[in-house]
Amino acid sequence: MTRADLRLVIDNLGPLRHANVALKPLTVLIGRNNTGKTYLAQALYAARRAVHDPRRSASTPLTAEERSALGDLLRQRASQEPDITDGPPDYLHLQLGDLPQAVRAKATTWTTQTLSDVGRSLEPQLCSTFGVPSISELKRWDQSQPLSVELHLQHLEGRNTCLFGTNGTPAPDVGADVTVALDLLDYDPDVLTTRFMQSSDEDADIEARLNERASRALRSDAWHGFLRSSGLVGRAHYLPAGRSGLLNAWTDVVRLRLELERESLGLPTVRDPALDGVALDFISSLAGLLGTRTRDRWRRLPQRLRRKTRAATTGSLSLLAQLMDGQIYAGSGDDLVPTLGYEQAGHRVPIRRASSMVADLAPLAMWIDRIVVSGDLLIIDEPESHLHPEAIRLVARVLVRLVDEGVSVLCATHSPVLIHELSNCLLLGKRQDLDSEDADRGYEVSDRLSLDDIAVHRFHRLEPGEPVTVTQVAIDADWGIPEDEYVDVATEQSDDTSHLLDSLA
């Protein structure tokens, strides 16, 4: 499948009448307050969560003949690729069209079925993300038309495909050119038979279990191949506005941590936190990140894996450390209450005693360091919050560096400084090479941004009380992102100043 642009299409959600938003590696939402930017960001978050947590339907497994035909093909292909055994796991990369016809038919049917399952999972994910009991509470007021949230693929030749949505749109056909990575050990009958014979279930039907195991593996491999081809393979993470305030919600953090501990011991838990929606997700992720078991797992990772995991985002993280003039750390495993802290020149303070700038950037630093990996989507609301304009410029470049590191980013912003710095990165991207003056100004190669890697969408309401429409901003290739609405405000303010000065003359 040719890589296509993802688009989020929304109708009658909150204040939004209609939105058809191109999702690029860097997607920027601009517009006045209370125009639905956060609604759209949370809808995208729910859609991406549904992709990775669908309510899967039952499926018909491979037959023994189909499994045997697949095994024969894999052995034949493996014999033609002598380097396939260079270190576990051993993967073969095939297209769905390469598989035996009956096997391909089931693999494509399973993938299409999973897309339908994702569509059915989207509504409960929206309710969970927004913290509402029913999706009807998210519908635009006094509307007879249904609320709709859909994820589309816009192909290079102009064709549009709806992948899934809340309105029950039939799942699209899955192309034969989807590439799947098959782990040979998941389909080797000798390996699987040995595993099953070692199990305690002596009465098991080995043949049926072989079919079932190979079917589960192929369904998962085909699904992940489709996600890779559609740009959906990574996880989504949401950093809401008011992060510094949420960091101080330690009562909720502790309660969640205790509930996780009780849950691990098989004890009943009470899920009634004061927070809900993305705020609860944020606090839950933070509690898990700071929890003793999470830190212990990180410490037990081999050094080579720890280096590989962290190396992908070195550039963005180092720029954040430069911006904060220090580093964020997780409290020790002996802490009664899990905490974040700030370290500067060898001195450490808990995050609640650090500046609001540091507290607001701390989650971004920890998510980049410990959670976000290449292929993921990071949604961040108001990354400029509590920041001096000079710091906002650096945060804009952190977002650009994340894109360079393979992370997709969506941010909602009110900052003309951030927009202007992104324009500078676009101009930098037109340069073949950076010169010494660029380096003196602090720019690096990873600060370059391509015009094809960014989309800016403006949210606007023509009249008070009217629904909001969303339009894509045309970016000037010779200058950057238009700043019309910010210029209008500055012009109006200057006119008011002139009027007041004249009246005092």
Side-chain angles (χ1 to χ4, degrees):
M1 178 182 292
T2 302
R3 175 66 187 271
D5 285 336
L6 286 165
R7 301 191 76 93
L8 183 66
V9 181
I10 290 175
D11 289 292
N12 299 311
L13 174 67
L16 301 173
R17 174 166 55 194
H18 177 72
N20 189 331
V21 171
L23 301 173
K24 296 285 190 175
L26 177 56
T27 306
V28 184
L29 312 181
I30 62 174
R32 295 182 178 180
N33 299 97
N34 197 32
T35 53
K37 297 185 295 298
T38 298
Y39 269 85
L40 187 140
Q42 293 189 11
L44 174 61
Y45 180 58
R48 291 293 295 262
R49 289 181 65 186
V51 165
H52 290 278
D53 190 23
R55 299 181 175 184
R56 292 182 182 269
S57 303
S59 59
T60 303
L62 296 171
T63 65
E65 292 76 13
E66 292 165 347
R67 176 175 55 79
S68 177
L70 176 60
D72 291 342
L73 172 66
L74 296 183
R75 283 190 291 273
Q76 177 188 358
R77 289 299 183 91
S79 67
Q80 298 170 357
E81 300 184 26
D83 295 335
I84 193 71
T85 57
D86 289 352
D90 302 327
Y91 288 105
L92 276 175
H93 295 270
L94 302 176
Q95 292 186 332
L96 284 179
D98 297 330
L99 303 181
Q101 184 174 0
V103 176
R104 172 194 167 187
K106 282 191 174 176
T108 53
T109 297
W110 293 337
T111 303
T112 301
Q113 187 180 60
T114 303
L115 276 172
S116 297
D117 295 340
V118 170
R120 285 189 290 272
S121 298
L122 179 53
E123 183 170 326
Q125 286 288 3
L126 285 166
C127 292
S128 172
T129 299
F130 283 90
V132 296
S134 170
I135 196 173
S136 62
E137 295 194 20
L138 302 175
K139 186 176 177 181
R140 196 158 60 88
W141 292 347
D142 302 325
Q143 286 302 303
S144 58
Q145 297 299 316
L147 182 158
S148 174
V149 176
E150 296 178 340
L151 199 64
H152 290 227
L153 276 179
Q154 185 73 42
H155 299 269
L156 296 179
E157 69 275 16
R159 180 169 52 92
N160 182 72
T161 302
C162 177
L163 298 179
F164 61 88
T166 55
N167 56 5
T169 302
D173 294 331
V174 177
D177 56 348
V178 169
T179 299
V180 291
L182 304 174
D183 184 347
L184 298 181
L185 297 181
D186 286 336
Y187 304 94
D188 188 318
D190 294 332
V191 172
L192 295 179
T193 300
T194 301
R195 292 176 181 172
F196 293 148
M197 293 299 291
Q198 292 173 347
S199 69
S200 59
D201 189 356
E202 299 179 356
D203 298 328
D205 184 338
I206 299 297
E207 193 71 18
R209 293 180 66 177
L210 287 172
N211 295 341
E212 183 64 33
R213 179 65 182 84
S215 300
R216 286 201 308 270
L218 182 58
R219 178 169 183 168
S220 175
D221 291 341
W223 175 239
H224 283 93
F226 179 81
L227 293 183
R228 282 191 296 271
S229 68
S230 304
L232 288 168
V233 70
R235 295 277 176 175
H237 314 278
Y238 199 112
L239 298 180
R243 293 173 291 279
S244 57
L246 289 171
L247 281 178
N248 290 320
W250 297 117
T251 301
D252 295 281
V253 174
V254 173
R255 176 163 53 184
L256 284 167
R257 184 181 181 186
L258 291 175
E259 288 188 4
L260 289 172
E261 297 292 344
R262 289 175 60 84
E263 198 171 54
S264 69
L265 296 173
L267 300 174
T269 61
V270 179
R271 297 288 182 180
D272 186 25
L275 301 173
D276 57 18
V278 294
L280 179 59
D281 285 347
F282 171 76
I283 289 292
S284 298
S285 297
L286 182 63
L289 186 150
L290 295 174
T292 304
R293 287 172 298 170
T294 301
R295 293 199 301 276
D296 286 345
R297 286 196 300 270
W298 179 262
R299 294 189 185 107
R300 287 197 299 269
L301 279 176
Q303 284 292 331
R304 61 182 180 83
L305 293 182
R306 289 172 64 178
R307 285 196 298 269
K308 181 178 179 181
T309 302
R310 304 176 83 162
T313 53
T314 299
S316 57
L317 195 60
S318 64
L319 188 58
L320 263 180
Q322 174 187 332
L323 168 57
M324 295 183 292
D325 193 23
Q327 294 183 328
I328 304 302
Y329 67 91
S332 70
D334 297 330
D335 291 342
L336 179 62
V337 178
T339 61
L340 285 179
Y342 173 61
E343 181 176 358
Q344 183 186 54
H347 301 286
R348 288 189 166 195
V349 296
I351 203 68
R352 64 181 179 275
R353 286 169 42 201
S355 72
S356 58
M357 178 270 283
V358 169
D360 224 83
L361 290 178
L364 179 59
M366 290 300 291
W367 259 245
I368 293 175
D369 188 28
R370 298 288 185 90
I371 298 178
V372 176
V373 297
S374 179
D376 283 359
L377 168 67
L378 177 63
I379 302 172
I380 179 168
D381 213 342
E382 299 180 14
E384 72 275 9
S385 180
H386 297 124
L387 300 187
H388 184 278
E390 184 178 3
I392 294 175
R393 293 189 62 188
L394 293 181
V395 165
R397 285 162 49 196
V398 169
L399 302 184
V400 172
R401 290 190 185 189
L402 280 170
V403 170
D404 181 70
E405 293 156 359
V407 177
S408 294
V409 177
L410 181 141
C411 74
T413 181
H414 296 288
S415 172
V417 176
L418 187 143
I419 295 296
H420 199 136
E421 189 62 24
L422 292 180
S423 294
N424 285 350
C425 293
L426 283 167
L427 295 175
L428 197 69
K430 297 179 68 175
R431 302 270 297 275
Q432 293 295 325
D433 298 296
L434 273 62
D435 56 28
S436 58
E437 186 173 348
D438 295 324
D440 291 341
R441 294 176 181 274
Y443 288 110
E444 297 183 3
V445 172
S446 56
D447 295 322
R448 297 190 298 185
L449 183 63
S450 166
L451 193 62
D452 293 332
D453 285 339
I454 182 172
V456 181
H457 298 272
R458 180 171 176 255
F459 291 60
H460 54 98
R461 179 184 281 116
L462 296 178
E463 298 290 341
E466 288 292 310
V468 173
T469 57
V470 183
T471 56
Q472 186 166 350
V473 175
I475 300 175
D476 187 341
D478 296 323
W479 192 89
I481 304 166
E483 300 176 24
D484 299 354
E485 65 180 75
Y486 305 116
V487 172
D488 290 344
V489 173
T491 301
E492 183 179 347
Q493 188 177 34
S494 296
D495 290 344
D496 290 345
T497 301
S498 297
H499 165 71
L500 291 169
L501 290 174
D502 290 342
S503 67
L504 293 171

